[in-house]
Amino acid sequence: MTRAVDVVVIGAGAAGLSAALGLAATRQVLVLSAGDGSTPWAQGGVSVAFGDDDPLDHAHDTHVAGAGFCDPRNVRALVEEGPQRVAELIAHGALFDRREDGSLSRTLEGGHSHPRIVHAGGDATGAEVDRALRAAVRAAGVETMAGRVIGLTKSTSGRVSGVLVETGGETVRIDARAVVLATGGIGNAYLASTNPSAVRGDGIALALLAGASLVDMEFVQFHPTALFTGQTRGQLPLVTEAVRGEGAVLRDLRGRLIMAGRHPRADLAPRDIVAREIEAAMRRDGTDHVWLDARSIEPDVLRRRFPTVLASCASIGVDMLSEQIPVAPAEHFLCGGVQVDRDGATGVPGLYAVGEVAASGVHGANRLASNSLLEGLVFGRRVATALTLDLPATTDRSYDVVLTEDREPERIRAILTKYAGIRRDGAGLNAAADELSALGNGPLATVARSVIVAATAREESRGCHWRSDHPHTDDRWNEHVAIGLDEEGLPTTRDAATQRARTGPR
Ligand SMILES: Cc1cc2nc3c(=O)[nH]c(=O)nc-3n(C[C@H](O)[C@H](O)[C@H](O)COP(=O)(O)OP(=O)(O)OC[C@H]3O[C@@H](n4cnc5c(N)ncnc54)[C@H](O)[C@@H]3O)c2cc1C
């Protein structure tokens, strides 16, 4: 079966739905989704600077968290276009929490110098963003379809011209003048993650197959406080950073404050720093978790602001009003991804990427908390604008590029988890490359290899990439590591910039 639309959007999270909504008036759009992505799970909120806050301060905090590795023009687009996008979301019916006087309630999270995180349902922001966007997309008449995209079609002139999707037990070909990857992060390439299972890096593998580049794949963010449930596989519940924003503190198992004296913002330091300090405390004490102590927060505030966290804690028998919460870092967010320009265009004509799958450059080497829903809203709209202005048709013949099946998914996840966690070193990364070499080139193997290749290349520590054998930031590494496929279809460093940085004077 074959059909044709103007634009296929792969992914129905904040980024994909924003792109579809922006295109609805001018283009025939089809949104494909393999199931819930991370968007409905987002807790803390959306960061947005308005009123007594200044977008320039938001930009500054974003650059500091990103360890000087952000793209300044894209960060400017994020912070300046953000308020308008959030206002539109409210116009579409999103109900953010408000104070008694009717003003938006704003909280603080790690790395922010101003309370600028708007939230919904206390700590259920993603669910409300998801609900409002889906309702708006439906009202705009956009068609959605359940199914997993397993391949792209490319014209002989090199343009991406459609997708192959598995749906209802068959493989359907859908021709399109442009394809937008909005497939989210890579959580399911690790044994455990805060991401749901549909988030497995398919978009990363599809982009590489089509001939696009990846960049910044070594910058995988670990959230400092996933709930420690004893479970070591699958999706882990999150304890939002906003709990620390309201005054909770991290303690080691002997009760000592972990962040005291470690950073001027203590428990609200950027995520990479907090996650590393927790990892160090766990390693020092030989433990598999630490405590988050929220007992200083008024019970009424905890009940109103954190119903999701309260329920997750209750499910493992912890009453966060009176007891400390067991937490440990877990894989959470991919800062890099498919290399794109400011309008989401990859290097391959007809192929776009937006949201967590894309390396828009706004997260640099480490994402600032609550900047990613905003990224989806802002850059989703930018892609839509670009494709409204310009969408050439493809007329020449096309051929398929198709993902192969992963041979041993659980082994791939175990390798990535063991060697490309918070702490990495050259010996471990080389061992990972060896162990992966026998595991084919399915999508999970491709994602894992891309992270390992990039992490091996970057012989320094920066943002959330921490090499214990190269513990300092090195200015000679002020270049991005780009990844492409070699002639055997395996990820390799591609960019002249990477080569320069690797071989430059030492
Ligand atoms: C627990 C948790 C809490 C978070 N809290 C916050 C927060 O408070 N604030 C914030 O800004 N960010 C937060 N984040 C991060 C944020 O939620 C994500 O970065 C963001 O939602 C990603 O949006 P997206 O649209 O790019 O992808 P996603 O929302 O992950 O959606 C991906 C979509 O792609 C689809 N897909 C994937 N592969 C295929 C395929 N092969 N074929 C078809 N469809 C496919 C999936 O089915 C899904 O529809 C949190 C994340 C998690 C997991």
Side-chain angles (χ1 to χ4, degrees):
M1 184 175 131
T2 307
R3 50 176 303 200
V5 295
D6 291 331
V7 180
V8 164
V9 176
I10 312 174
L17 293 175
S18 296
L21 193 56
L23 282 162
T26 57
R27 305 290 183 194
Q28 191 192 357
V29 193
L30 174 64
V31 179
L32 299 170
S33 170
D36 269 355
S38 294
T39 297
W41 293 91
Q43 293 185 347
V46 184
S47 57
V48 59
F50 61 95
D52 60 346
D53 192 3
D54 189 331
L56 288 181
D57 290 338
H58 186 185
H60 175 77
D61 294 343
T62 300
H63 283 292
V64 171
F69 228 41
C70 301
D71 178 322
R73 294 203 317 165
N74 290 9
V75 170
R76 211 173 112 193
L78 180 81
V79 300
E80 289 184 349
E81 294 170 25
Q84 179 65 27
R85 299 287 89 86
V86 173
E88 285 163 5
L89 198 59
I90 292 171
H92 284 307
L95 295 170
F96 287 100
D97 296 333
R98 293 185 179 269
R99 297 202 198 94
E100 276 177 12
D101 65 3
S103 61
L104 278 171
S105 173
R106 286 183 276 176
T107 193
L108 199 60
E109 286 188 345
H112 288 274
S113 58
H114 197 282
R116 63 168 71 97
I117 320 299
V118 297
H119 46 84
D123 58 0
T125 310
E128 180 60 8
V129 168
D130 177 68
R131 186 200 63 75
L133 279 174
R134 278 179 196 275
V137 161
R138 232 181 355 260
V142 171
E143 187 188 353
T144 53
M145 183 195 279
R148 180 176 173 214
V149 173
I150 50 139
L152 298 173
T153 57
K154 245 187 121 173
S155 74
T156 41
S157 63
R159 205 179 160 80
V160 166
S161 56
V163 300
L164 300 171
V165 55
E166 281 180 346
T167 178
E170 57 178 335
T171 302
V172 177
R173 172 186 301 273
I174 300 168
D175 294 335
R177 291 154 75 180
V179 172
V180 180
L181 301 168
T183 52
I186 58 167
N188 202 26
Y190 282 78
L191 281 177
S193 159
T194 61
N195 301 177
S197 61
V199 179
R200 40 175 293 145
D202 279 354
I204 298 284
L206 287 166
L208 277 177
L209 266 185
S213 295
L214 311 178
V215 72
D216 292 346
M217 287 298 290
E218 64 275 35
F219 299 118
V220 178
Q221 184 176 78
F222 287 74
H223 196 288
T225 57
L227 186 65
F228 180 76
T229 60
Q231 164 198 340
T232 53
R233 301 272 192 282
Q235 188 182 9
L236 302 176
L238 188 75
V239 181
T240 171
E241 192 145 353
V243 179
R244 276 175 284 135
E246 296 289 341
V249 290
L250 287 157
R251 297 182 187 279
D252 65 17
L253 291 201
R254 287 204 258 156
R256 293 172 300 193
L257 290 172
I258 291 176
M259 291 308 296
R262 311 306 297 181
H263 187 275
R265 289 185 183 160
D267 289 87
L268 288 174
R271 279 185 184 169
D272 57 323
I273 294 166
V274 180
R276 266 203 305 275
E277 292 298 335
I278 294 176
E279 196 271 350
M282 287 176 9
R283 201 157 24 87
R284 183 191 63 219
D285 297 345
T287 58
D288 48 15
H289 66 280
V290 296
W291 298 119
L292 181 66
D293 186 353
R295 293 173 297 181
S296 65
I297 306 172
E298 287 294 317
D300 275 358
V301 175
L302 285 178
R303 283 194 205 96
R304 189 182 72 250
R305 285 283 287 111
F306 305 113
T308 311
V309 176
L310 215 70
S312 300
C313 290
S315 73
I316 58 160
V318 171
D319 173 14
M320 76 183 271
L321 306 184
S322 60
E323 294 173 281
Q324 300 187 91
I325 307 166
V327 292
E331 193 283 340
H332 184 59
F333 183 83
L334 176 65
C335 300
V338 182
Q339 191 165 29
V340 289
D341 70 9
R342 206 155 24 134
D343 295 326
T346 69
V348 179
L351 186 65
Y352 293 75
V354 68
E356 193 170 335
V357 69
S360 65
V362 297
H363 307 301
N366 179 46
R367 172 177 70 117
L368 181 65
S370 284
N371 261 0
S372 46
L373 289 174
L374 189 69
E375 177 191 18
L377 299 176
V378 167
F379 289 92
R381 172 58 70 86
R382 291 190 72 93
V383 167
T385 302
L387 292 176
T388 297
L389 291 171
D390 199 8
L391 187 59
T394 309
T395 47
D396 45 344
R397 275 164 42 85
S398 64
Y399 63 97
D400 302 342
V401 285
V402 185
L403 299 176
T404 53
E405 289 233 352
D406 276 298
R407 281 191 212 146
E408 295 183 58
E410 212 55 11
R411 220 176 124 203
I412 296 165
R413 294 184 181 112
I415 294 168
L416 199 59
T417 303
K418 180 171 176 192
Y419 298 114
I422 294 181
R423 186 188 166 91
R424 298 134 181 213
D425 61 47
L429 292 164
N430 288 339
D434 281 352
E435 291 182 31
L436 283 170
S437 65
L439 294 176
N441 48 6
L444 287 180
T446 300
V447 168
R449 274 203 197 91
S450 302
V451 174
I452 297 293
V453 165
T456 307
R458 182 168 294 284
E459 292 177 335
E460 64 153 1
S461 291
R462 185 187 297 256
C464 52
H465 172 66
W466 179 29
R467 287 277 301 255
S468 57
D469 51 347
H470 297 279
H472 303 293
T473 301
D474 182 342
D475 283 347
R476 286 169 297 190
W477 269 103
N478 283 348
E479 306 259 11
H480 296 269
V481 176
I483 305 279
L485 292 185
D486 65 16
E487 51 292 343
E488 290 169 36
L490 301 176
T492 184
T493 54
R494 156 179 271 188
D495 199 48
T498 306
Q499 300 305 333
R500 239 190 347 269
R502 283 199 327 154
T503 54
R506 292 266 142 156

